[in-house]
Amino acid sequence: ISLDPAITLPSDTSARITAASLLGGNYLELMPGAEETLMVAGDVIYDTRDPVSLTDLLGKAVFSASDAQ
C-alpha cells in the first residue's frame, strides 16, 4: 500500500483486513504500536492478524442464543 508521507507509523504497527459492514466490503486496518522508531518507505509490516468475519460472529451469536433456550 502507499500512504501519504504525512502519516507516520511506529515500526511495530500491525495490520489486518476487516469487514466494513454486514453488506460486504473490506478495508485494511493499521494498528499503531508503541515503538518510538518509525516506519520508512519500503518497510514491511510483519505483524498481521487474522481477519474477523462479522457474519461468522453473528452466526455464533445466533446459534449460541438458540442453544441456551
Side-chain angles (χ1 to χ4, degrees), residues 42-60:
D43 279 355
V44 175
I45 297 175
Y46 291 103
D47 184 10
T48 58
R49 314 268 170 102
D50 290 333
V52 176
S53 169
L54 291 178
T55 53
D56 288 348
L57 289 176
L58 183 60
K60 286 179 184 178

Side-chain angles (χ1 to χ4, degrees), residues 9-32:
L9 294 171
S11 60
D12 61 343
T13 295
S14 61
R16 74 175 170 189
I17 297 173
T18 304
S21 72
L22 290 174
L23 299 176
N26 296 320
Y27 66 93
L28 179 64
E29 180 180 8
L30 298 174
M31 295 161 285

